[in-house]
Amino acid sequence: MAKPNIINRQVLIDAAKLCLVEKGIEKFTLKAVAEEAGVTQGTVYYHFRTKEQLLLDLVKDICDHSWNDIAQQQNHENIVKYALESAKNRSSDEAFFHQLFFTLTVASFQNEKIREQLAEVLQAENKALFQHLSKIWRQSPIEGVSLETWGVFFNALIDGLAIQNLISKNVQIETFFEELEQLFIGLTKLSANKK
């Protein structure tokens, strides 16, 4: 196997993002990533053994950047608005994040390693949601529903909306996210009113 050029994984991940935007997932290859990064195909294989591994690392990178950006928000109301805007952007039919995520989800049905790694991504997202909810809500707005469950619920809700938006062009994504924000505001008021 070829020794890597002096290039780090992040440069290759960034090149992979550009490839996905320019070529789409159907024409996405490790060779195309190598060309975009200006390195040999062996360099890409050195860092990522398979196309699926590169795609998984790409999903992790997008999630990590999104959660890091959200964590920078100081005002709790801004966190909610920023998180919903980020989720809406990742759910649009032009965004490749959910296309990529769902493609890997399907691949995980036949590949245990991909399944385990996607499970780690989901657990990290659920944990991040729980941590943010814990800062905003003193306690769950509904008795018997834990903040951990709310985190999983919101994560699944966003992913479910993304599926609908990718499949059906009739989804009113702007309206949905506006109403989701109102739902969150209502739940926050319920949480604040609980003693």
Side-chain angles (χ1 to χ4, degrees):
M1 180 168 282
K3 293 261 186 206
N5 293 350
I6 300 176
I7 193 168
N8 66 31
R9 292 170 65 91
Q10 189 61 49
V11 171
L12 296 175
I13 289 171
D14 292 342
K17 288 178 189 176
L18 289 173
C19 281
L20 278 171
V21 170
E22 293 169 3
K23 299 180 186 314
I25 194 134
E26 301 82 20
K27 296 179 182 175
F28 180 81
T29 64
L30 293 180
K31 180 180 180 184
V33 173
E35 289 171 2
E36 184 70 42
V39 298
T40 65
Q41 200 170 342
T43 298
V44 178
Y45 278 106
Y46 179 84
H47 289 283
F48 307 98
R49 301 268 183 221
T50 64
K51 176 172 127 174
E52 289 76 16
Q53 185 59 55
L54 174 55
L55 292 173
L56 278 165
D57 283 5
L58 213 161
V59 166
K60 288 179 188 175
D61 182 73
I62 292 168
C63 290
D64 289 347
H65 277 83
S66 179
W67 288 115
N68 288 339
D69 289 346
I70 291 168
Q72 298 302 314
Q73 301 297 314
Q74 299 299 316
N75 182 309
H76 295 314
E77 285 184 26
N78 287 346
I79 287 174
V80 172
K81 287 184 182 294
Y82 192 86
L84 288 172
E85 189 64 31
S86 175
K88 181 173 67 174
N89 290 338
R90 289 188 298 156
S91 296
S92 76
D93 54 353
E94 290 100 33
F96 62 84
F97 173 79
H98 277 100
Q99 291 178 24
L100 174 60
F101 182 78
F102 297 132
T103 298
L104 288 169
T105 300
V106 171
S108 77
F109 298 148
Q110 302 297 319
N111 186 316
E112 185 65 31
K113 185 171 174 77
I114 292 174
R115 185 178 308 140
E116 290 170 2
Q117 291 175 322
L118 276 179
E120 289 175 16
V121 170
L122 286 171
Q123 288 169 356
E125 284 197 324
N126 293 339
K127 182 179 178 184
L129 279 164
F130 163 70
Q131 289 171 339
H132 287 296
L133 286 173
S134 297
K135 293 176 187 173
I136 297 168
W137 295 345
R138 290 183 304 224
Q139 58 185 329
S140 175
I142 297 178
E143 190 174 330
V145 181
S146 69
L147 292 180
E148 290 90 349
T149 298
W150 281 111
V152 173
F153 170 75
F154 283 122
N155 199 12
L157 183 65
I158 298 301
D159 288 343
L161 176 63
I163 288 173
Q164 290 188 41
N165 195 47
L166 288 171
I167 294 172
S168 172
K169 299 304 175 197
N170 297 327
V171 173
Q172 302 294 318
I173 198 152
E174 291 290 332
T175 301
F176 179 83
F177 274 96
E178 288 169 9
E179 291 178 11
L180 182 58
E181 183 176 353
Q182 293 307 309
L183 172 66
F184 190 83
I185 290 168
L187 289 169
T188 300
K189 287 178 183 176
L190 278 175
S191 176
N193 290 335
K194 291 185 85 174
K195 301 274 179 193

